[in-house]
Amino acid sequence: MFSLSSMISLTTKPNPLSFHSSIPSPQLFNPKKPFKTPKNPTFKPSTIVSVLQWNRKPELSGETPRVVVITSGKGGVGKTTTTANVGLSLARLGFSVVAIDADVGLRNLDLLLGLENRVNYTAVEVLNGDCRLDQALIRDKRWSNFELLCISKPRSKLQLGFGGKALIWVVDALKARAEGCPDFIIIDCPAGIDAGFITAITPANEAVLVTTPDITSLRDADRVTGLLECDGIKDIKMVVNRVRTDLIRGEDMMSVLDVQEMLGLALLGVIPEDSEVIRSTNRGYPLVLNKPPTLAGLAFEQAAWRLVEQDSMKAVMIEEEPKKRGFFSFFGG
């Protein structure tokens, strides 16, 4: 698989969130606040040109709305965390986003976003005619172009008639609403491959498969990949979550390259293990909003950038230099 003298390097197109040792991380694109040269005597003009080149809004690829389902098969790998952080990253990049929590019995996306106290109506009430669609959509106060829609309340019983066709109706209603069609509709898929999974993937035309570098998660991810392809979803990219470089270095965890070779999927992002995930979950404050940003938060932002432009990463093996160890030597752009 890999040796002690090997390491992982992830190569991708440069983007404005890439790490640079001599300059601060550039801010997200804002046309009202042009880039200003920092007052630093070691700041070289060539560096300024490089930053200005990528200080832009990513170009949206594909037809809108992009209906993306975030799935895994196995529970606890980070689907909801990925949905919350990638969704808010897309909103921060200037795109309109509607996140649908399709997990009926174990709804958690509203908790991660800090919106649990504002969920008064759900998609079931919309279908029953008890409320309008705009009443069921929860607009985030921090980013007004991000909205949340829950399928049902945790303790309520979902109607037997609610399935893939009902979710397609909800998606079509979002496309036809008066205030405009969203750029992204992101569906947080429940764990497993039962009826809830089938319902969540039915309206999607692309998928993000979240996995961790362990054999149980990879077996489930491989099974889910086959089911997605059978349903006609060919655009499948994966996010490898909870990666620990110390375990990879000690050959106690599979490398990202091994995961990519086993599943054969395009790599959207690699998220390192980060203790801030638990803190952000308990606070209802996604990682990407942290200041200063955490390593996992930056990785989610980069994954969102690639999702917009339908780009991907590539894992390669290179020789490790003894004096250059740490996160950025393993995950250099």
Side-chain angles (χ1 to χ4, degrees):
M1 291 170 51
F2 48 83
S3 64
L4 288 172
S5 61
S6 64
M7 58 169 274
I8 297 176
S9 175
L10 300 174
T11 59
T12 183
K13 297 180 182 178
N15 60 61
L17 299 171
S18 296
F19 175 79
H20 198 291
S21 58
S22 62
I23 59 172
S25 298
Q27 300 298 317
L28 293 176
F29 175 81
N30 188 345
K32 297 182 180 180
K33 295 182 179 180
F35 180 84
K36 295 181 179 180
T37 305
K39 295 180 180 179
N40 188 342
T42 62
F43 204 78
K44 300 179 180 180
S46 60
T47 306
I48 300 174
V49 174
S50 176
V51 173
L52 284 173
Q53 180 181 358
W54 296 101
N55 186 23
R56 61 176 177 84
K57 179 179 176 178
E59 298 177 3
L60 182 58
S61 178
E63 298 180 359
T64 56
R66 299 262 301 276
V67 185
V68 184
V69 61
I70 297 183
T71 183
S72 70
K74 189 176 185 297
V77 299
K79 294 183 298 297
T80 304
T81 302
T82 301
T83 303
N85 285 279
V86 170
L88 272 179
S89 294
L90 293 172
R92 295 177 72 203
L93 288 169
F95 301 101
S96 56
V97 181
V98 173
I100 300 177
D101 191 341
D103 196 334
V104 178
L106 302 174
R107 191 185 80 195
N108 289 318
L109 184 57
D110 56 330
L111 291 172
L112 268 68
L113 294 168
L115 302 174
E116 67 276 9
N117 294 328
R118 298 176 55 195
V119 180
N120 297 318
Y121 298 106
T122 64
V124 170
E125 278 87 11
V126 176
L127 291 170
N128 289 338
D130 297 329
C131 70
R132 302 187 307 274
L133 178 62
D134 62 312
Q135 291 177 303
L137 288 167
I138 315 290
R139 190 178 300 274
D140 192 281
K141 293 181 179 179
R142 296 159 296 198
W143 296 91
S144 59
N145 52 342
F146 180 90
E147 296 172 292
L148 169 68
L149 177 64
C150 297
I151 294 297
S152 69
K153 296 177 182 178
R155 295 185 179 182
S156 63
K157 293 183 179 180
L158 192 66
Q159 296 176 348
L160 294 176
F162 192 96
K165 291 183 178 180
L167 193 56
I168 289 176
W169 182 92
V170 171
V171 171
D172 289 340
L174 289 170
K175 295 178 182 179
R177 62 180 183 166
E179 52 268 42
C181 173
D183 297 314
F184 285 90
I185 298 175
I186 301 180
I187 303 172
D188 183 18
C189 183
I193 54 174
D194 53 5
F197 168 81
I198 301 300
T199 298
I201 70 172
T202 300
N205 46 41
E206 54 187 296
V208 174
L209 185 67
V210 183
T211 185
T212 53
D214 59 82
I215 56 174
T216 56
S217 180
L218 292 175
R219 170 185 281 183
D220 293 349
D222 184 59
R223 172 64 173 156
V224 167
T225 301
L227 294 174
L228 291 171
E229 292 176 346
C230 290
D231 197 62
I233 302 176
K234 305 299 181 183
D235 187 357
I236 308 172
K237 294 183 176 65
M238 70 172 177
V239 169
V240 184
N241 194 23
R242 305 186 67 179
V243 174
R244 291 184 55 179
T245 55
D246 57 333
L247 294 181
I248 294 175
R249 195 181 296 126
E251 299 189 0
D252 294 317
M253 176 179 280
M254 281 183 284
S255 69
V256 179
L257 179 61
D258 296 322
V259 173
Q260 191 172 21
E261 289 179 347
M262 289 182 66
L263 296 180
L265 298 175
L267 186 60
L268 185 69
V270 176
I271 316 299
E273 183 74 61
D274 195 336
S275 60
E276 281 296 321
V277 173
I278 297 177
R279 296 190 185 96
S280 69
T281 299
N282 290 335
R283 296 198 313 262
Y285 196 81
L287 282 173
V288 294
L289 301 181
N290 282 9
K291 293 181 181 180
T294 64
L295 296 178
L298 287 173
F300 277 122
E301 289 180 336
Q302 291 178 339
W305 184 281
R306 297 184 194 100
L307 182 65
V308 171
E309 297 193 336
Q310 294 186 332
D311 196 4
S312 62
M313 307 171 71
K314 184 178 180 181
V316 297
M317 301 293 287
I318 65 174
E319 291 298 322
E320 180 180 3
E321 298 180 20
K323 294 184 180 180
K324 292 185 178 180
R325 303 178 76 127
F327 178 80
F328 286 105
S329 65
F330 276 71
F331 296 94

